[in-house]
């Protein structure tokens, strides 16, 4: 008899299921690939959106969810389905959310206090830090090198006038949020000679960060930095942290990069700042509404790079999530603290 019965309600390739079983043989990893939508790309945790279960398949799917001690992934990546599972399955004690920002799925489930106390929720935080940090470095470099001007000249077949460009090593960048992603961003930028100022709620050890200031000092910091990189979760406290008021105080021509959550920027105010030149360039992987609406002016602005929430997707993503899950299963079974536990007050 296995010590932990786990059901996989979200697409996961069979070789990775077998890897989890190898890494932690004390769990019974239950899956039925016929009940899951096919993946559209590696790392697709939702699967083909056109996939439909028959009523019999749906009943079998829910029965497997309701028989498990733990879930690898939120059913349907849906807060409503997670809520149903928590209410129907009293033995459920752990749910691993495959996104790094899985706290939003837990919030959307609208769980009762008893359910939040009974079930431990973990995320895949940290798995996506390196690729997201690379996107952030790309954004800072693109802004520094005036990528929009280079592209305008190229498309016009214009051999542009020689003009000086700032050295990245002479720049100061604010990294807002020093979780796993923010620390990776700071480390990579610092390696290029950038002076990195961290913005974080508390003082922590962060390689490559010259100093840390609290979020309340972001307004006084923005006039003195060449770029700002947001690496924040979506919480009530972080909503529109880069606000209209702050965007009125930035250093002219600042670069804005967002690899956290789209709600952390007032998108309307950012659009206006990009149009009038207060913000010189923006590299955005996340948006307030996703997919980005087709009528959003951000699509057309020449000084914006739109990435479809894809910067954290890379070849080893699913394997690393599987390995993280196996390690957390070991910790749960051995009575050790688990990694990436969701704060069920602020949901991150």
């Amino acid at each position: 008899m296995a010590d932990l019965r786990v059901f996989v309600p979200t697409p996961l390739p069979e070789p990775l299921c077998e890897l989890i079983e190898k890494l932690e043989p004390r769990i019974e990893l239950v899956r039925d690939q016929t009940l899951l939508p096919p993946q559209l790309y590696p790392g697709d945790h939702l699967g083909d959106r056109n996939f439909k279960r028959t009523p019999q398949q749906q009943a079998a799917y829910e029965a497997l969810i309701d028989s498990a001690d733990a879930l690898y992934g939120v059913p349907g990546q849906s807060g409503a389905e997670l809520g149903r599972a928590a209410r129907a399955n009293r033995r459920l004690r752990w749910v691993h959310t495959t996104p790094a920002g899985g706290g939003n799925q837990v919030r959307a489930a609208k769980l009762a206090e008893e359910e939040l106390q009974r079930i431990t929720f973990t995320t895949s935080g940290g798995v996506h830090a390196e690729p997201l940090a690379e996107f952030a470095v790309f954004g800072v470099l693109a802004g520094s090198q005036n990528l929009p001007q280079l592209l305008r000249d190229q498309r016009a077949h214009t051999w542009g006038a020689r003009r000086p460009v700032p050295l990245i090593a002479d720049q100061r960048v604010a990294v807002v949020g020093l979780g796993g992603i923010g620390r990776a961003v700071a480390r990579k930028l610092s390696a290029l000679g950038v002076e990195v100022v961290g913005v974080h709620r508390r003082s922590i050890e962060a390689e490559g960060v010259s100093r840390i200031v609290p979020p309340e000092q972001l307004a006084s910091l923005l006039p003195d930095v060449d770029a700002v990189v947001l690496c924040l979760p979506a919480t009530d406290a972080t909503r529109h942290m880069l606000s209209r008021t702050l965007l009125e105080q930035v250093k002219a021509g600042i670069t804005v990069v967002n690899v956290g959550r789209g709600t952390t920027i007032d998108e309307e105010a950012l659009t206006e700042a990009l149009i009038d030149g207060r913000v010189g360039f923006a590299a955005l992987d996340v948006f307030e509404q996703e997919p980005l609406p087709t009528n959003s002016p951000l699509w057309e602005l020449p000084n914006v790079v739109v990435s479809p929430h894809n910067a954290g997707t890379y070849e080893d993503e699913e394997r690393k999530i599987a390995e993280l899950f196996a390690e957390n299963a070991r910790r749960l079974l051995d009575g050790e603290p688990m990694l990436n536990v969701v704060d069920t007050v602020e949901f991150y």
Side-chain angles (χ1 to χ4, degrees), residues 135-149:
F135 180 85
V137 172
F138 153 75
V140 173
L141 284 168
S144 176
Q145 292 294 315
N146 199 351
L147 178 63
Q149 182 65 54

Side-chain angles (χ1 to χ4, degrees), residues 129-328:
E130 294 301 314
L132 287 172
E134 291 186 4
F135 180 85
V137 172
F138 153 75
V140 173
L141 284 168
S144 176
Q145 292 294 315
N146 199 351
L147 178 63
Q149 182 65 54
L150 292 173
L151 291 175
R152 278 195 298 270
D153 288 347
Q154 177 180 334
R155 288 163 182 160
H157 296 198
T158 297
W159 189 262
R162 291 174 64 86
R163 52 187 175 268
V165 294
L167 288 175
I168 190 78
D170 291 337
Q171 298 204 349
R172 180 183 295 117
V173 176
V175 176
V176 186
L178 292 174
I181 297 168
R183 292 196 301 274
V185 171
R187 186 178 68 251
K188 290 180 186 294
L189 287 174
S190 176
L192 295 173
V194 175
E195 180 191 347
V196 178
V197 181
V199 179
H200 202 65
R201 292 193 299 180
R202 62 187 184 280
S203 181
I204 61 170
E205 291 294 325
E207 181 183 347
V209 176
S210 63
R211 59 191 171 97
I212 296 176
V213 302
E216 294 76 21
Q217 294 183 22
L218 181 57
S220 61
L221 181 62
L222 286 175
D224 296 320
V225 297
D226 302 285
V228 56
V229 180
L230 289 99
C231 311
L232 295 165
T235 69
D236 292 340
T238 64
R239 179 171 175 76
H240 287 188
M241 181 171 285
L242 190 58
S243 64
R244 180 178 297 277
T245 300
L246 264 60
L247 284 166
E248 292 172 350
Q249 303 175 50
V250 297
K251 183 176 183 178
I254 193 173
T255 293
V256 173
V257 180
N258 195 357
V259 290
R261 285 294 179 264
T263 55
T264 62
I265 295 179
D266 182 334
E267 205 166 275
E268 181 180 347
L270 174 63
T271 300
E272 294 171 6
L274 284 158
I275 292 171
D276 67 27
R278 277 173 290 143
V279 174
F281 179 75
L284 308 173
D285 184 52
V286 289
F287 302 88
E288 288 200 79
Q289 181 180 337
E290 296 182 2
L292 184 65
T294 56
N295 63 350
S296 169
L298 292 173
W299 288 109
E300 302 296 334
L301 292 180
N303 52 345
V304 177
V305 166
V306 171
S307 170
H309 205 146
N310 187 66
T313 302
Y314 65 113
E315 290 183 356
D316 286 339
E317 175 191 4
E318 281 189 297
R319 178 179 61 80
K320 289 188 177 293
I321 294 174
E323 291 171 345
L324 172 62
F325 179 84
E327 170 61 17
N328 258 341

Side-chain angles (χ1 to χ4, degrees), residues 17-83:
C17 293
E18 295 170 0
L19 173 63
I20 293 170
E21 291 173 321
K22 178 181 178 181
L23 292 172
E24 182 43 81
R26 291 176 292 176
I27 68 175
E28 177 189 7
L29 194 72
V30 181
R31 65 273 192 190
D32 185 341
Q33 301 290 358
T34 67
L35 299 178
L36 302 177
Q39 289 183 308
L40 299 179
Y41 54 85
D44 179 13
H45 305 296
L46 185 58
D48 186 349
R49 281 59 167 173
N50 295 319
F51 175 82
K52 300 292 183 185
R53 299 182 190 91
T54 66
Q56 294 79 11
Q57 287 177 319
Q58 185 65 27
Y61 177 71
E62 293 182 2
L64 288 171
I65 291 172
D66 298 346
S67 71
D69 303 306
L71 299 176
Y72 182 102
V74 169
Q77 303 298 315
S78 161
E81 291 189 40
L82 176 59

